Amino acid sequence: MTRKYFAYPYLAWMVLFIVVPLLLVVYYAFTAEAAGTISFSLQNIAGFFSTTTLNVFAKSIWLAVLCTVICLLLAYPVAYILASSKINSRTLMVWFVLPMWMNFLLRTYAWLIILDSNGIINQVINLFGLPSAQLLYTNEAVLLGMIYNFLPFMILPIYTALTKIPRNLYEAAEDLGANSTTKFFKITVPLSMPGIISGFTMVFIPSITTFSISRLLGGAQTMLFGDLIENQFMFMQDWHAGSAISFVMMILMLISLYIMTRYEKAGESSGGLW
Amino acid sequence: MIPVKKVLSTLLATSMILLTLSGCTSTTSSNSASATPTTVVEEDITLNVYNWGDYMDPEVIAQFEEENPHIKIQETYFDSNEAMLAKLKADSSTFDIVIPSDYVVERMIKEDMLAEIDKSNIPNYAGLLDYCKNQSFDPNNKYSIPYMWGTVGILYNTKKVTETVDSWNILFNTKYKKKIIMYDSIRESMLVALKLQGKSCNTKDDADLKAAENLLISQKPLVLAYGTDEIKRKMINNEAALAVVYSGDAILAMDENEDLEYVIPKEGSNVWFDNIVILKNSTHKKAAETFINFLCRPDVAAKNSAYIGYTTPVEQAIEDLGEGYSDNPAYNPSTEVIERCEIYHDLEDYMQKYNEIWINIKSS
């Protein structure tokens, strides 16, 4: 029984840095300040549904969907190869996790140097006598930065799910005359579904609120949702509006997560990270 | 049934994102060497100065502390007027001296945050340029003393731009597609569009604002990037043809690349003043005035201005800096140029409208 006391510091941490901030967000989201008095208000929540905000939201969703789908397409083969490789795949995994030990901004800055018009790629292009291409400050550069930063979050859960598939299922399938295509679509894909869903949420949620990537790699030409929240808090000093859009965003996330977990129930396996 | 763990994890992820967005102010102190406990006649005072980052020569501060052994300067930095105001609202007793921009001085006076400055303690005030005094945001400089000033204009590369640059119009010329860098800020971008149409950069006319918004949206395909501090490097490296910049950045860039030229368009632009103010709650008003007087001394102002790159309002200092400064139209624009420039005013509630336009431009 005494052991549970060791959990209290963590509990205090959770309350202080997760629950309280969330409550503050909710508080600011539903209040407005007029002439020094704070009162209950829904105007900030309504602000989320203005054309201006919805435009930003639509653009962020589109970019996040693109990023997640491309991550999935890239990550699945990688995870598959890693999971089925004969050599010790754990050491291989380290190479995918290693870049994450570096600071996120630093990694994004590195792309700045690679994509720059005097950058590494253009220097190579110039070697062949071709003119420099405009790589930086494009939508593609933003997408590239996002994919690069979030790809490991897709590979890891899929890899975990794949390694948990019992070998004897394949043997049984072979006994019953299944070829490799059938095995892949009847066993591998369904059983790795929890990993895919985990990866999907782990990439989609942060990518929808990405901020600073579009400023660094996109030349600040598009304002994404994360940038909008920053704009409201830091520039407009409007904590109420900033909290309101963050709050609506959280609700939307929870709904999408709920739908996804319902779907996952069908698979009834907990191969995901969560 | 939703697994509780999953919900908690999502909450955690979202709150982590929110947490990274908060707490972005940096505080650094100018490590004033700890005072040696000698017998002091006057009481030791620490003046807390709230300033833009890298906006005061550390040697100037050291020199002041040497000349006034009983006053120590403690500098804290902000990166935007808005962030500074927010901090002062939460905590008004820490700082003695702040260096806000013109339209912010206007707001601070309105909100009764500033102490009146006793100019008999600042004899060097007499040496300031006439047009830097008595600006509309603080007539008679009751509350503020100009610190640095400058303009907004076009920095262009003479190797890439062959025609004469004298109008904001050139930033809308399709010939320079993807070779134009705009300033990543609402006021500066609106300035370009409003001035081009002959309007005030402080307009509260919805039709003018709508026209400016459409103009900037139509310009977007031509823009290489919206930038701030990195513009300087891009222009030095010949990576763009034209950029909207502050005069101080232009001066520093022109120093490193002789193909660069700076021009204040004929339609007019913005002239701005950063000012030294004393907060109402300051308990060291006298010491603060001593410091302000020191900063207005020609030799100090010249040294400080050369370090920062922006123009000092101290007439003698501009002359002393001599070649490259007093004869440089970017550093020392003619009165005729200044007269066609306008200062920013506090937009008050209209800032919301400007910000909305900005988001529309960015999400178009």
Side-chain angles (χ1 to χ4, degrees):
Chain A
M1 280 308 272
T2 51
R3 227 180 250 176
K4 74 172 185 200
Y5 294 115
F6 288 109
Y8 286 174
Y10 174 67
L11 203 67
W13 177 270
M14 282 261 290
V15 169
L16 205 60
F17 294 111
I18 295 167
V19 180
V20 173
L22 278 174
L23 289 177
L24 280 175
V25 168
V26 176
Y27 168 76
Y28 277 112
F30 286 98
T31 51
E33 199 182 335
T37 51
I38 292 172
S39 58
F40 176 80
S41 160
L42 288 174
Q43 73 181 61
N44 291 308
I45 300 285
F48 183 94
F49 301 96
S50 67
T51 10
T52 304
T53 313
L54 285 179
N55 265 340
V56 178
F57 188 63
K59 223 164 183 173
S60 303
I61 293 263
W62 170 236
L63 212 57
V65 167
L66 263 183
C67 168
T68 316
V69 169
I70 296 174
C71 272
L72 178 64
L73 293 178
L74 289 173
Y76 204 91
V78 173
Y80 188 79
I81 292 165
L82 282 175
S84 54
S85 85
K86 296 271 186 303
I87 38 168
N88 192 351
S89 55
R90 275 172 195 282
T91 41
L92 268 175
M93 263 331 271
V94 173
W95 294 105
F96 285 90
V97 182
L98 208 60
M100 296 208 297
W101 293 358
M102 259 190 304
N103 180 281
F104 152 82
L105 276 180
L106 210 62
R107 279 181 282 147
T108 311
Y109 266 111
W111 275 108
L112 211 65
I113 298 163
I114 297 170
L115 297 174
D116 211 10
S117 47
N118 298 325
I120 297 163
I121 294 181
N122 273 318
Q123 278 176 15
V124 173
I125 292 177
N126 291 342
L127 274 184
F128 294 101
L130 295 164
S132 297
Q134 184 59 51
L135 304 167
L136 202 60
Y137 303 142
T138 56
N139 277 333
E140 291 75 21
V142 178
L143 194 60
L144 179 79
M146 285 165 70
I147 293 169
Y148 171 72
N149 276 304
F150 299 130
L151 189 60
F153 295 103
M154 186 65 95
I155 296 179
L156 276 173
I158 296 178
Y159 168 78
T160 319
L162 286 174
T163 49
K164 281 188 179 164
I165 301 175
R167 294 282 121 197
N168 50 22
L169 282 180
Y170 292 107
E171 285 158 17
E174 276 162 27
D175 283 346
L176 296 170
N179 61 21
S180 20
T181 321
T182 320
K183 276 193 295 180
F184 181 75
F185 285 108
K186 292 276 182 194
I187 302 172
T188 318
V189 172
L191 288 180
S192 60
M193 221 44 207
I196 293 175
I197 288 168
S198 272
F200 200 87
T201 45
M202 285 178 77
V203 172
F204 188 69
I205 292 175
S207 65
I208 210 166
T209 49
T210 335
F211 95 123
S212 76
I213 290 185
S214 98
R215 189 173 316 155
L216 288 173
L217 301 179
Q221 295 185 75
T222 26
M223 186 176 269
L224 297 182
F225 215 75
D227 304 298
L228 179 66
I229 296 174
E230 192 213 12
N231 168 280
Q232 293 295 329
F233 273 95
M234 302 306 288
F235 186 77
M236 290 306 289
Q237 297 291 330
D238 192 343
W239 288 35
H240 301 282
S243 298
I245 54 175
S246 309
F247 177 76
V248 177
M249 180 72 132
M250 266 193 277
I251 297 298
L252 291 176
M253 287 297 164
L254 284 176
I255 293 171
S256 64
L257 203 75
Y258 174 73
I259 295 167
M260 268 191 236
T261 46
R262 283 301 287 267
Y263 178 64
E264 197 189 352
K265 269 266 134 61
E268 204 59 63
S269 160
S270 53
L273 279 193
W274 296 351
Chain B
M1 198 186 86
I2 322 165
V4 179
K5 245 166 80 186
K6 291 192 191 236
V7 177
L8 277 180
S9 319
T10 331
L11 289 177
L12 185 122
T14 359
S15 64
M16 269 179 358
I17 292 155
L18 286 171
L19 275 176
T20 44
L21 288 174
S22 64
C24 284
T25 33
S26 54
T27 308
T28 329
S29 59
S30 69
N31 267 337
S32 43
S34 50
T36 37
T38 45
T39 44
V40 272
V41 191
E42 277 174 282
E43 197 189 341
D44 276 350
I45 288 173
T46 301
L47 269 185
N48 282 297
V49 178
Y50 199 19
N51 191 8
W52 299 81
D54 213 21
Y55 207 39
M56 196 176 284
D57 186 352
E59 277 181 38
V60 161
I61 294 175
Q63 191 184 341
F64 177 77
E65 289 176 336
E66 207 171 293
E67 289 177 21
N68 302 275
H70 66 287
I71 307 175
K72 292 273 163 271
I73 302 292
Q74 175 92 23
E75 222 185 338
T76 308
Y77 307 123
F78 57 84
D79 55 15
S80 76
N81 281 308
E82 288 71 22
M84 174 266 289
L85 273 180
K87 181 150 179 180
L88 289 184
K89 268 180 197 153
D91 168 21
S92 61
S93 59
T94 307
F95 301 107
D96 302 291
I97 288 178
V98 185
I99 304 193
S101 304
D102 31 42
Y103 69 99
V104 183
V105 171
E106 195 176 350
R107 191 190 302 181
M108 289 170 99
I109 294 173
K110 227 177 284 168
E111 294 182 9
D112 196 23
M113 295 166 76
L114 305 181
E116 265 186 56
I117 294 172
D118 183 356
K119 283 203 275 308
S120 62
N121 289 330
I122 305 173
N124 288 334
Y125 174 75
L128 301 193
L129 287 166
D130 276 338
Y131 53 74
C132 293
K133 295 178 185 170
N134 301 326
Q135 284 291 344
S136 54
F137 57 85
D138 180 19
N140 301 319
N141 292 80
K142 226 167 136 185
Y143 301 96
S144 69
I145 305 288
Y147 176 64
M148 291 286 157
W149 62 282
T151 52
V152 176
I154 301 174
L155 181 69
Y156 65 100
N157 192 316
T158 48
K159 287 258 168 70
K160 293 177 194 267
V161 184
T162 42
E163 60 225 273
T164 8
V165 181
D166 65 350
S167 162
W168 292 116
N169 218 347
I170 198 153
L171 298 174
F172 298 84
N173 188 336
T174 44
K175 207 168 126 191
Y176 301 107
K177 189 174 182 189
K178 292 288 166 196
K179 284 182 181 148
I180 297 165
I181 304 181
M182 290 291 282
Y183 205 83
D184 191 17
S185 135
I186 307 168
R187 294 302 296 259
E188 278 68 39
S189 294
M190 289 301 276
L191 170 81
V192 171
L194 288 169
K195 282 289 167 192
L196 182 58
Q197 303 175 97
K199 309 290 189 217
S200 156
C201 59
N202 297 304
T203 186
K204 291 186 180 178
D205 182 299
D206 285 340
D208 289 352
L209 291 173
K210 190 70 202 162
E213 177 181 344
N214 290 338
L215 202 56
L216 289 173
I217 289 175
S218 74
Q219 184 213 20
K220 224 184 148 189
L222 309 180
V223 176
L224 173 66
Y226 296 84
T228 49
D229 297 334
E230 69 273 26
I231 298 179
K232 227 183 321 181
R233 187 178 59 87
K234 294 266 162 210
M235 290 306 287
I236 293 169
N237 293 344
N238 299 318
E239 286 177 39
L242 298 141
V244 177
V245 292
Y246 278 108
S247 51
D249 283 346
I251 292 159
L252 295 175
M254 282 152 71
D255 261 355
E256 292 189 46
N257 184 339
E258 55 183 24
D259 294 333
L260 299 181
E261 285 290 338
Y262 177 77
V263 71
I264 297 165
K266 59 177 184 221
E267 295 92 352
S269 180
N270 161 252
V271 60
W272 53 265
F273 299 89
D274 282 342
N275 311 274
I276 323 174
V277 298
I278 305 174
L279 291 181
K280 197 162 203 180
N281 292 341
S282 168
T283 45
H284 308 303
K285 202 168 156 265
K286 191 84 206 300
E289 283 163 348
T290 312
F291 186 53
I292 294 172
N293 191 43
F294 172 82
L295 289 174
C296 293
R297 213 169 75 190
D299 62 313
V300 175
K303 192 176 184 181
N304 204 15
S305 171
Y307 173 85
I308 302 169
Y310 284 105
T311 316
T312 170
V314 182
E315 201 168 1
Q316 186 63 44
I318 298 176
E319 269 169 49
D320 290 348
L321 282 166
E323 208 184 318
Y325 291 93
S326 56
D327 57 351
N328 181 345
Y331 184 86
N332 190 18
S334 66
T335 346
E336 176 253 322
V337 169
I338 294 165
E339 268 164 13
R340 60 176 194 244
C341 292
E342 192 185 7
I343 60 171
Y344 290 139
H345 287 292
D346 184 10
L347 292 171
E348 295 167 327
D349 291 344
Y350 244 77
M351 197 61 222
Q352 193 87 41
K353 180 84 191 164
Y354 273 72
N355 194 48
E356 209 178 291
I357 290 173
W358 186 236
I359 299 168
N360 284 341
I361 294 166
K362 286 297 193 78
S363 60
S364 72

